Amino acid sequence: MKIAMTRRELLAGLAASPFLVGEAAHPPFERIDTHIHLNRSAPEILAGFRQTRWRALTICVSRATGDEPSDLDEQLLGAAKLHRESNGLVSWAASFDARPFERPDFAETTIAGLKGWFNQGAIAVKIWKNIGMGIRAKSGAYLMPDNPALFPIYEAIQKQGKTLVAHLAEPDGAWLPLDSTNPEVGYYSKHPEWYQYGRKGAPAKEEILAARDRVIAKYPKLRVVGCHLGSNESDLPALGKRLDKYPNFAVDMAARVRYLAAGDHKAVREFLNRYQDRITYGTDFVWRTQTEQQAWQSVQTAHERDWNFFAQSSDMSYHGHPTQGLGLPEKLLRKIFYDNPVRWFPGIV
Ligand SMILES: [Zn+2]
């Protein structure tokens, strides 16, 4: 029988109810960030995760859309390495380059590649918004998520028992005028390539989401986790309808907690309560050129800020906007931050 408690265990116990802020904020369970982009060796970040009792899913993204070179191989090798070095604390999601989808050997080559990454521990496969918003056929038509060229790949992911991570479409702001009322004015000013408002021939947001939904319906045994509240960040009732309709669909809240913070908290609490088995937490932190120390600081700041938003009920500031914490009960917090990731991403612990 274990008698002695470490200081951290003692603090975690004391902090259990209500959860305190800062050093003693650790709840009595591990938390999992299901959406982060580290994808290389990160000894200091791993030490930080251990100290703050976080785990993470690091996600590779095939960003190349036109004929620019791809950095996907570097990400895949880096993510597999980080996974190994972390002793399982960080699990990882592979991805594939969908640009050659018209080549006759596309599915076969892609599936062989993915199987190689599954052998190196990948537990999920990410598809990105360049499907539906960027990659085109020779005819000029946009590659949509339900293009039959992708079916054998979805089938293979389902057969291997892995999870499909789907960032498809974008926030409503991509299809709205770019003025100060657009909540994404900052992002699309810097990334005009993803700004679709008035773009001729570009599929509407609902068309992309409908194509995604057809995939979810076609493969009922495929677990699909929709990134960023499944791109229904501004319409929780619409998201709820989709979750009701597709039991194999869940969503992460990565980079969209700010919408919840700015929204009607009664409705947000009701939503989180009603779909408490279908939601995971993620930061969407991307490690670019920062030092590892700076990267860890950013991750830790995001973790603390978001945890406080969900767990506390006091006044706080979220991205400079005054708000109040949701003060969710421990049972819900445990589901969002631990149980749901375990269930939707088998192999994450
Ligand atoms: Zn992301």
Side-chain angles (χ1 to χ4, degrees), residues 33-39 56-63 72 75 79 90-95 124-127 165 227 252 254 284-285 345:
D33 181 338
T34 63
H35 189 147
I36 195 164
H37 306 281
L38 300 174
N39 302 340
L57 176 72
T58 190
I59 299 178
C60 299
V61 188
S62 184
R63 290 193 181 85
L72 179 60
Q75 293 179 47
V90 174
S91 47
W92 71 287
S95 189
V125 178
K126 163 93 168 226
I127 54 173
V165 180
C227 302
D252 77 31
D284 200 20
F285 174 78
F345 296 99

Side-chain angles (χ1 to χ4, degrees), residues 231-293:
S231 292
N232 271 142
E233 73 293 328
S234 307
D235 193 349
L236 294 181
L239 176 56
K241 275 189 200 139
R242 293 185 145 114
L243 291 167
D244 288 338
K245 198 165 170 193
Y246 308 112
N248 55 325
F249 184 48
V251 292
D252 77 31
M253 299 187 283
R256 299 294 180 270
V257 178
R258 62 197 153 95
Y259 280 85
L260 304 181
D264 168 359
H265 283 195
K266 187 169 173 276
V268 169
R269 254 189 234 101
E270 276 169 16
F271 177 85
L272 295 176
N273 188 48
R274 179 154 184 197
Y275 299 102
Q276 54 182 274
D277 298 313
R278 315 287 289 280
I279 298 156
T280 70
Y281 167 76
T283 51
D284 200 20
F285 174 78
V286 185
W287 188 9
R288 293 197 171 93
T289 53
Q290 312 93 313
T291 65
E292 192 176 351
Q293 185 74 38

Side-chain angles (χ1 to χ4, degrees), residues 44-45 287 290-298:
E44 290 176 48
I45 294 175
W287 188 9
Q290 312 93 313
T291 65
E292 192 176 351
Q293 185 74 38
Q294 288 165 336
W296 168 243
Q297 279 307 323
S298 301

Side-chain angles (χ1 to χ4, degrees), residues 145-146 151 154 158 164 209-224 242 244-250 278:
D146 65 340
F151 290 168
Y154 298 141
Q158 176 180 263
L164 181 69
L209 294 185
R212 177 201 65 191
D213 291 351
R214 285 191 288 274
V215 173
I216 300 173
K218 187 173 164 68
Y219 300 100
K221 292 203 173 99
L222 176 66
R223 286 179 305 276
V224 181
R242 293 185 145 114
D244 288 338
K245 198 165 170 193
Y246 308 112
N248 55 325
F249 184 48
R278 315 287 289 280

